[in-house]
Amino acid sequence: KRPVAMQPHIPFPKCTGMATPAPKSGPGNLATFNILHGFPEALVRGMRSSFLADADYHHLTQCETLDDVRLNLSETDYMDALADMGTLIPTGLQKAAVEKLVTEFKYLRTQAIEPLSTFLDFITYEYMIENVMLLLKGTLSGRDINELIAQCHPLGMFKESTMRSIPTFESTPRGYQDLYQTVLVDTPVGPYFAQFLQESSDRSEVSNVLEEVEIEIIKSSLIKYWIEDFAKFVDALGGETAVIMGDLLKVRADTNAINITLNSFGTPLNEPAMRASDRKRLYPSVGHLYPAGTSMLADVGDEDELGRVLELFPMYSSIWNVHAAGSDGKSIDDAFYERDVQMLELAFEGQMHYASFYAYVKLKEQEIRNLVWISECILQQQKEEIHKFVPVFSFNAPWRAGSNKHSRR
């Protein structure tokens, strides 16, 4: 019988560096990968057929009501997920689709052994961070704890007692210390929280780190530590996983750095005194932009300067040009999504590496965003906007259109 991996024990040191221990073994190579991970990889390969096809998207965009959407989805892999739903609404569709993804992911996790099991756990840490920050931000605005827990992502849930304890701490630096020492220390994201507190303790200007303005800064710091830790882990794995997954994480780190810079304009983070200290501290120490690009981003003061920096990096200059031109109503987020889908599809279609599991989760998230966008456009009668989504594994994708034309000649 195939051994089922137990939840790995992860220490929670109160120091910087790699929070998760280096793997004791690699993912295997062409000769040994299937011995260790053949079954979970076969499962995720089979899940490729669950993605919506071009024909499905075409039928969905032709729908006039949400009942029509439900009827069309009843012929797809979402049939069982929507079976018990009364009236279809965008939020209900999103919840059902996310729960379906979580069920599939948890099944993959139960079939995994080390080091794949730890790799899959790493994917969930991002959602744990988002849930913690959602609870803290909601507490500041006085929202009901039950409402906040209902909005948390299922992949990042702690046990209920932990979830309910997070919002009970005072909005002071001391309260933050207590939150870590009594609650988060026993969670996988505890080391990232400890690292943030350790760095914050050296800043004498910190007076109230839980002010609402600071929440996004705290979240960006925790995501930065997670990306760096994940990158060190996959690099230690070696092989194709280190190459392909490492590149995905580098691009993710660059995206964060660009967005942090862009979103800082018009905020205190863009003040000259804070650019090289607070803002630069949020940039991950991995990525194609690191270290030269991030050093230049630290000095950027407006969008024109940001554009001149990104022009030096061909892989980001085209994305910035989309944002600057504003053509077809595309934002920089739309350009990032298109780039991500292309990279994730290529990663998914590779073999003998772990990045296909990460790619599956992220591509499914994009598909869920597409479904929510289409249903919202129909509900709000904005059919002229309905095609502004990024389909997954589409034969009409821009990066496939050229090759398709050549193949037909």
Side-chain angles (χ1 to χ4, degrees):
K1 294 183 179 180
R2 175 172 295 276
V4 178
M6 301 299 289
Q7 186 75 13
H9 174 71
I10 303 176
F12 305 99
K14 300 183 69 174
C15 61
T16 59
M18 189 171 179
T20 306
K24 295 181 179 179
S25 62
N29 53 32
L30 184 65
T32 61
F33 183 90
N34 283 338
I35 298 175
L36 301 170
H37 314 296
F39 183 62
E41 190 194 30
L43 289 175
V44 81
R45 297 294 171 204
M47 292 174 181
R48 165 69 174 80
S49 62
S50 68
F51 285 94
L52 297 177
D54 287 336
D56 296 320
Y57 281 116
H58 174 73
H59 294 150
L60 289 172
T61 56
Q62 302 303 309
C63 293
E64 296 295 333
T65 66
L66 293 182
D67 287 336
D68 296 338
V69 172
R70 178 172 183 167
L71 181 63
N72 279 277
L73 289 177
S74 66
E75 300 177 2
T76 69
D77 203 56
Y78 290 97
M79 175 181 63
D80 293 337
L82 302 178
D84 297 329
M85 186 178 297
T87 303
L88 182 67
I89 57 176
T91 53
L93 173 58
Q94 180 180 24
K95 181 179 179 181
V98 169
E99 289 177 350
K100 175 179 176 294
L101 169 60
V102 171
T103 300
E104 294 166 350
F105 179 85
K106 288 183 176 180
Y107 183 67
L108 288 173
R109 175 62 181 82
T110 61
Q111 304 303 319
I113 62 172
E114 288 291 351
L116 176 57
S117 56
T118 299
F119 178 91
L120 295 178
D121 289 339
F122 258 110
I123 297 176
T124 67
Y125 296 168
E126 178 183 9
Y127 304 103
M128 293 180 187
I129 293 172
E130 291 178 350
N131 286 351
V132 170
M133 303 319 299
L134 173 64
L135 293 173
L136 293 176
K137 188 174 182 178
T139 302
L140 293 179
S141 57
R143 296 174 59 187
D144 180 67
I145 179 62
N146 294 314
E147 177 187 349
L148 293 172
I149 291 178
Q151 293 182 358
C152 288
H153 198 287
L155 275 182
M157 297 294 284
F158 308 113
K159 56 185 179 181
E160 186 173 355
S161 59
T162 301
M163 300 293 288
R164 292 188 176 277
S165 298
I166 292 174
T168 61
F169 291 86
E170 296 181 358
S171 303
T172 63
R174 179 59 187 173
Y176 229 13
Q177 291 278 357
D178 292 341
L179 172 61
Y180 166 72
Q181 293 172 357
T182 60
V183 178
L184 296 181
V185 67
D186 291 326
T187 67
V189 298
Y192 310 139
F193 212 82
Q195 194 169 342
F196 170 77
L197 291 175
Q198 184 175 349
E199 291 189 3
S200 298
S201 64
D202 299 330
R203 297 163 56 196
S204 58
E205 70 272 15
V206 173
S207 58
N208 188 350
V209 294
L210 276 179
E211 291 180 358
E212 185 136 4
V213 180
E214 296 285 338
I215 290 295
E216 289 303 319
I217 297 177
I218 301 170
K219 179 180 177 181
S220 296
S221 298
L222 299 180
I223 292 293
K224 167 198 169 181
Y225 304 141
W226 167 73
I227 292 175
E228 293 171 349
D229 196 27
F230 202 175
K232 291 175 183 176
F233 181 80
V234 299
D235 185 62
L237 287 173
E240 287 295 299
T241 298
V243 175
I244 299 176
M245 189 63 207
D247 192 48
L248 290 175
L249 289 173
K250 287 179 181 178
V251 170
R252 173 65 188 276
D254 292 342
T255 303
N256 277 25
I258 295 171
N259 280 330
I260 288 169
T261 306
L262 186 60
N263 294 333
S264 71
F265 299 148
T267 71
L269 273 182
N270 196 39
E271 296 177 0
M274 298 188 69
R275 292 175 194 166
S277 57
D278 294 63
R279 191 173 76 184
K280 187 177 181 179
R281 190 182 290 116
L282 301 178
Y283 299 151
S285 60
V286 295
H288 299 293
L289 293 177
Y290 178 81
T294 51
S295 295
M296 289 186 283
L297 288 179
D299 298 325
V300 165
D302 55 44
E303 289 198 10
D304 290 337
E305 294 179 7
L306 176 58
R308 285 194 289 271
V309 170
L310 295 181
E311 284 293 335
L312 302 175
F313 300 88
M315 65 185 304
Y316 297 114
S317 60
S318 58
I319 291 178
W320 179 256
N321 291 336
V322 170
H323 171 76
S327 57
D328 299 327
K330 282 188 178 180
S331 66
I332 193 170
D333 288 333
D334 296 326
F336 279 137
Y337 285 144
E338 288 183 356
R339 186 275 320 273
D340 290 345
V341 167
Q342 180 182 5
M343 294 188 65
L344 291 167
E345 286 181 1
L346 291 173
F348 184 86
E349 291 170 348
Q351 294 183 336
M352 310 300 173
H353 61 79
Y354 293 167
S356 56
F357 297 92
Y358 176 85
Y360 175 75
V361 173
K362 295 303 178 181
L363 288 173
K364 269 298 178 181
E365 284 188 340
Q366 179 61 47
E367 183 174 85
I368 294 170
R369 280 193 292 268
N370 295 341
L371 288 174
V372 174
W373 175 264
I374 292 172
S375 58
E376 286 284 4
C377 287
I378 293 173
L379 182 64
Q380 300 176 22
Q381 298 181 351
Q382 299 286 332
K383 294 294 289 291
E384 66 276 4
E385 304 287 330
I386 201 169
H387 293 281
K388 294 181 179 180
F389 59 88
V390 186
V392 178
F393 293 116
S394 171
F395 288 106
N396 300 318
W399 51 90
R400 285 198 177 93
S403 60
N404 288 342
K405 290 178 182 178
H406 289 302
S407 65
R408 288 194 292 266
R409 289 179 180 175

